[in-house]
Amino acid sequence: MLYASNIKSISSNLRWVEISTTKQIIDAKGFSFSGHGTFHIRDGWLLKGLLAVKQKSTSLYDKEAHHDLGVGKNMLNSILYWIKASNLVEPEDPKTKIRPPLKLTILGKLIEKYDPYLEDIASLWCIHWELSTNKN
């Protein structure tokens, strides 16, 4: 016969298994839910980031970069996060961990060449695909 105390124990054990299993799945896939500072991708941010990196590989790390782009400091960190997450830029030297100089990826170069205003739906779909398949 099931008593209330048994049901509560079973329920908490099942919840622990569910949480534990979810954590293992997330750990196994290496998801990241931080770095964007709670800012979603805003219109023009990816293009601003691409142009800044194209102009100077370390421009997004400059102390006054947020003034140059016309955004706040936290927004600048989000722009950096989103252009990396969408695979538009990558570190020039993967061994450099702190503020590595950035370069455009193949996708970034293609967008720069064929869609300089980032308004073609094909470019947006490629970015969407990169974001949804990014393992980091």
Side-chain angles (χ1 to χ4, degrees):
M1 183 163 233
L2 288 176
Y3 295 103
S5 61
N6 291 347
I7 292 172
K8 189 174 182 181
S9 174
I10 291 169
S11 174
S12 67
N13 286 337
L14 288 176
R15 194 149 111 211
W16 179 84
V17 169
E18 179 183 333
I19 291 168
S20 172
T21 305
T22 304
K23 183 177 178 354
Q24 287 174 354
I25 290 170
I26 290 172
D27 287 345
K29 294 189 177 188
F31 288 117
S32 173
F33 293 105
S34 63
H36 51 76
T38 71
F39 292 106
H40 59 12
I41 299 176
R42 300 205 178 162
D43 190 32
W45 276 12
L46 296 178
L47 186 59
K48 282 182 179 189
L50 277 178
L51 294 175
V53 169
K54 180 185 171 197
Q55 185 178 31
K56 181 181 167 192
S57 65
T58 58
S59 63
L60 294 178
Y61 304 124
D62 292 345
K63 188 175 183 178
E64 300 298 318
H66 62 285
H67 291 298
D68 298 337
L69 297 181
V71 298
K73 289 181 181 181
N74 293 335
M75 290 180 178
L76 178 66
N77 292 334
S78 294
I79 291 172
L80 184 58
Y81 170 83
W82 286 117
I83 62 173
K84 287 179 181 178
S86 57
N87 197 29
L88 295 174
V89 298
E90 63 188 0
E92 286 180 359
D93 181 12
K95 295 177 184 175
T96 306
K97 299 295 181 192
I98 299 174
R99 297 183 175 198
L102 301 172
K103 66 178 182 177
L104 299 182
T105 60
I106 293 171
L107 177 60
K109 290 176 185 175
L110 288 171
I111 288 174
E112 176 208 359
K113 183 175 181 179
Y114 295 108
D115 188 15
Y117 299 106
L118 197 57
E119 57 190 8
D120 189 335
I121 194 73
S123 299
L124 300 176
W125 272 111
C126 287
I127 290 168
H128 174 80
W129 182 79
E130 286 291 340
L131 283 169
S132 61
T133 58
N134 187 341
K135 293 179 181 175
N136 296 323

